[in-house]
Amino acid sequence: MTKRPAAAAALLAGLVCLAGCAQSVDPIERLGKKAAQKVRTYGPTEDPYRRWGLTAPLAPVPKPPDRRPSARTAGPGLPPVVDRVPTRDRVVFLTFDDGAEKDPEFVDMVRELRLPVTMFLTDSVVGPGYAHFGRLRAVGASVQNHTLDHPYLPGLPYAGQRAEICGQQEKLKQRFGIRPRLFRPPYGDYNSDTVRAAADCGLAAIVLWRDADRLRPGDILHCPEGRNGASLTRTTTETLNRVQDQGFTVARLEDYL
């Protein structure tokens, strides 16, 4: 009689041990060797701003104004010519010209940083590379007009200027289904015929830029593309560090102009 309780106790202890051993098996071991080989382990992900060479995230963008700030025009029905948006918000705007630089990493940079950028495209420079700018548009970039062939516009008569500007409006409409609102003249040079032609082509503003070392609210920046052999992402990082160092953030130009 005394042996039966001892046997029962031993049996119970064995069952407890089996249950405990089953729970202590590594979860991946339970999957089997082949299944375990398919399991990926991930380390901590790097913050996007660090990956792109920034020391801190970009500051949040203020709420866009309910009404776009008004800029002085040369006359009724003519678009304003601006190098800076009249605003008190501590924002600046990043703009890029031509479309020669097609750095695929720049698409990732714009997407991961949610970077509002404006691309002024020239058809003859972009060539067969419009798909790249389609990818940029898909991650939030804006595409605007920089003429068909990048001529010195004041050297052309009104009809020639109109053909350059309206022609690129049509190209961009065919490519992306939109007619740009903004126009940048090549080299930043224009005359009264340029302003009139831009108006006749349906453009809302002629956009220049400021190159001053000290930034002011509303400055429109002309970002270099591949300066001194550097990639577009690297030169953009340099610009963003300058913007942050002076206490600004980057806003979408089309929200203000």
Side-chain angles (χ1 to χ4, degrees), residues 5 26 59-60 71 97 152 169 175 177 207 217 232 252:
D26 187 277
D97 283 2
Y152 173 69
Q169 287 290 89
R175 294 285 183 175
V207 181
L232 182 57
R252 186 174 304 282

Side-chain angles (χ1 to χ4, degrees), residues 129-146:
Y130 274 103
H132 171 79
F133 296 98
R135 289 189 287 274
L136 273 171
R137 285 192 73 236
V139 297
S142 167
V143 168
Q144 304 294 340
N145 189 328
H146 197 43

